[in-house]
Amino acid sequence: MQTQQNHTQGDGQVLISFIIPAYNVPTDMLRQCLDSIRALSLRRYEREIIVVDDGSDLPFISALTEYQNDIIYIRKANGGLSTARNMGIRMATGAYIQFIDGDDMLIQAPYEHVTDLIRYGKSDLVMFHLTDTLQKKMDYNDCEPMSGAELMRSRNIHGTACGILFKRTIMGSLRFTPGIYHEDEEFTPQLLLRAERVITTDAKAYFYRHRPDTITTSNDIRKRLKRLNDAKGVILRLNTLAATLPAEERLAMQRRTAQLTMDYIYNVITQTKSQHYLDRRLEELRRKGLFPLPDRDYTTKYKWFRRMTNTSAGLKMLLHTLPYINRER
């Protein structure tokens, strides 16, 4: 591992540690990512930019000389997104943490609003929106603060770790599970349950790019089956965790587990179109008490999907009518 730190810090506290895992990302995209952080109104000592080069074919450091006073650069052996983020967490000293993929970037005005919510709202965690278009909406709707457990009991959440800015100390020993897809879906709900004051906003503060041959766009059948298997593993682990939680937190995690199970069944149907494979996966879920889906009044979509999957006729209809999708939704 090669570590280069040329980060000049003032006398004040680092407010946000930006953790950027990058593997073979086009250099111009990584530079745009860094520029989007430097464009924020944060003073230099208030931000900490940690670039974790996850064993790229060519090190990025030679192309980032103009950023050397603004970044901490770490090069490590390739281990995947989870290990890169976990390395960044080890290095972080900021009061808050923001994850950014190296080929994405922050959108200045809405992200400034997010930082205002942690400065003045005194929140443990702010959840905001991602977008694939650059818009300049300047008015935002924010929900009243609530606990993470209350949020998860009352509504669906998005699982991506890039859509949250959170206080570093609430993590405790929580880290990303190495070697799996869907690591965000396992990390985010556990993090939310540790947050006592959460603010959600409709600010679209994070710009993500669609790139061919990335994790979620690969058509390789082995990768698709691994994604499905990893998703099932996340659901089973969260379900096991739920059984150990206090009542209110257990209800929150059970809702999230049911939502992920619904998504998993949908993906099994649309990504395999195989009755045999579907039957085997449903039997596994049944043995764990996860199928049929619990009878809960979560959302209209959930209630509809539960009714359809509750009968063999409904399952056959879904197999024949849902489109074949050779990548994740």
Side-chain angles (χ1 to χ4, degrees):
M1 181 183 75
Q2 173 190 351
T3 303
Q4 177 168 330
Q5 180 169 351
N6 292 300
H7 184 70
T8 303
Q9 222 177 81
D11 295 329
Q13 180 188 19
V14 176
L15 181 65
I16 303 176
S17 292
F18 297 92
I19 298 176
I20 308 173
Y23 173 72
N24 286 348
V25 173
T27 302
D28 62 330
M29 290 185 181
L30 181 56
R31 293 164 68 91
Q32 288 174 10
C33 177
L34 296 172
D35 288 340
S36 75
I37 299 171
R38 295 204 302 178
L40 300 173
S41 61
L42 294 169
R43 288 164 289 189
R44 177 173 288 180
Y45 69 80
E46 291 182 303
R47 56 171 162 80
E48 178 179 66
I49 306 174
I50 304 171
V51 178
V52 184
D53 181 347
D54 189 37
S56 299
D57 295 339
L58 295 173
F60 293 115
I61 189 61
S62 60
L64 300 178
T65 53
E66 69 184 85
Y67 301 91
Q68 63 182 354
N69 292 324
D70 288 294
I71 68 173
I72 300 168
Y73 175 84
I74 305 166
R75 180 167 170 83
K76 59 181 283 295
N78 180 253
L81 180 62
S82 291
T83 63
R85 284 176 172 171
N86 289 343
M87 176 66 74
I89 290 170
R90 284 176 52 191
M91 299 295 296
T93 64
Y96 289 81
I97 285 180
Q98 174 68 60
F99 296 110
I100 314 174
D101 290 343
D103 50 357
D104 297 335
M105 60 183 183
L106 302 176
I107 305 174
Q108 184 175 0
Y111 196 81
E112 299 277 13
H113 178 70
V114 172
T115 60
D116 284 345
L117 290 176
I118 64 167
R119 286 182 187 274
Y120 309 115
K122 295 181 169 52
S123 56
D124 294 328
L125 185 150
V126 177
M127 180 171 281
F128 53 89
H129 286 252
L130 283 66
T131 180
D132 59 356
T133 58
L134 291 172
Q135 301 174 339
K136 294 186 177 180
K137 178 184 174 184
M138 299 296 289
D139 56 314
Y140 314 107
N141 296 310
D142 310 323
C143 294
E144 288 297 315
M146 65 182 74
S147 71
E150 184 182 356
L151 175 68
M152 288 174 59
R153 286 197 310 271
S154 60
R155 67 187 73 174
N156 293 343
I157 63 167
H158 61 71
T160 175
C162 290
I164 53 177
L165 174 60
F166 63 93
K167 189 175 290 184
R168 180 167 57 93
T169 54
I170 70 172
M171 272 192 306
S173 61
L174 179 63
R175 297 295 184 270
F176 292 92
T177 300
I180 66 168
Y181 299 124
H182 305 288
E183 61 279 316
D184 288 18
E185 295 289 8
E186 185 170 15
F187 179 88
T188 302
Q190 294 184 75
L191 184 70
L192 274 168
L193 290 185
R194 297 163 184 242
E196 296 181 1
R197 186 177 172 86
V198 175
I199 297 176
T200 60
T201 176
D202 67 355
K204 295 180 178 179
Y206 185 104
F207 177 76
Y208 68 92
R209 292 183 170 92
H210 297 280
R211 293 177 58 210
D213 301 322
T214 59
I215 288 174
T216 56
T217 58
S218 171
N219 295 334
D220 188 308
I221 183 62
R222 290 170 299 178
K223 289 184 178 179
R224 278 191 282 135
L225 292 178
K226 175 171 170 50
R227 286 201 300 270
L228 289 172
N229 193 56
D230 287 349
K232 179 185 66 179
V234 167
I235 292 167
L236 295 180
R237 289 191 293 276
L238 292 180
N239 186 55
T240 298
L241 174 63
T244 70
L245 297 173
E248 296 303 312
E249 294 183 5
R250 182 167 65 250
L251 289 173
M253 187 61 82
Q254 286 173 340
R255 175 176 178 139
R256 187 58 186 162
T257 302
Q259 182 68 45
L260 292 175
T261 303
M262 181 186 75
D263 290 344
Y264 169 72
I265 295 170
Y266 178 93
N267 286 329
V268 167
I269 293 172
T270 58
Q271 294 181 27
T272 70
K273 302 297 284 185
S274 166
Q275 179 76 60
H276 177 66
Y277 190 84
L278 174 63
D279 289 343
R280 289 171 56 194
R281 300 292 79 81
L282 292 180
E283 182 56 33
E284 286 181 322
L285 295 174
R286 192 188 305 274
R287 290 197 299 267
K288 298 294 184 179
L290 291 163
F291 185 81
L293 293 169
D295 186 6
R296 297 287 186 271
D297 189 21
Y298 290 149
T299 64
T300 299
K301 177 182 176 182
Y302 177 87
K303 291 186 289 184
W304 173 86
F305 195 81
R306 180 186 177 276
R307 286 196 297 268
M308 291 295 291
T309 56
N310 235 9
T311 66
S312 57
L315 282 168
K316 287 182 179 178
M317 183 177 293
L318 290 174
L319 270 167
H320 287 94
T321 58
L322 289 177
Y324 173 70
I325 300 175
N326 61 5
R327 63 179 177 84
E328 290 183 359
R329 287 186 289 169

